[in-house]
Amino acid sequence: MQGNYGSGARLVQPYLVTNLWHSFSHTSRVMLNQDPVSTPNESTSLEVGLGISTTLNQRVGLYALASHTNDLDSGHQQDYAGSLGLRLNW
């Protein structure tokens, strides 16, 4: 979901990000000395984030995004992420 505010070179675009992530069933295996250690993996997670993008002029823009991902299967895994950036057009 995205909105547009302003006009011309001063355009501000807030947006909402949602992602449903699923990793299919597999087993990770690691050897510690001569002992194998196996871990079964499968999960479904939901990511929700808010972002904003703005143009400073016709060539320069800024953006920011903050998101949170939560494991829907067990709640044992959570992730917080953010990004800031500068966009240059030439």
Side-chain angles (χ1 to χ4, degrees), residues 20-59:
L20 183 64
W21 301 100
H22 181 75
S23 61
F24 293 95
S25 181
H26 69 281
T27 300
S28 298
R29 185 174 178 205
V30 176
M31 295 293 289
L32 299 176
N33 290 327
Q34 299 298 322
D35 301 322
V37 177
S38 298
T39 305
N41 296 307
E42 180 179 10
S43 69
T44 302
S45 300
L46 178 66
E47 176 186 16
V48 177
L50 293 172
I52 190 165
S53 175
T54 185
T55 53
L56 302 178
N57 58 44
Q58 290 181 345
R59 296 182 156 225

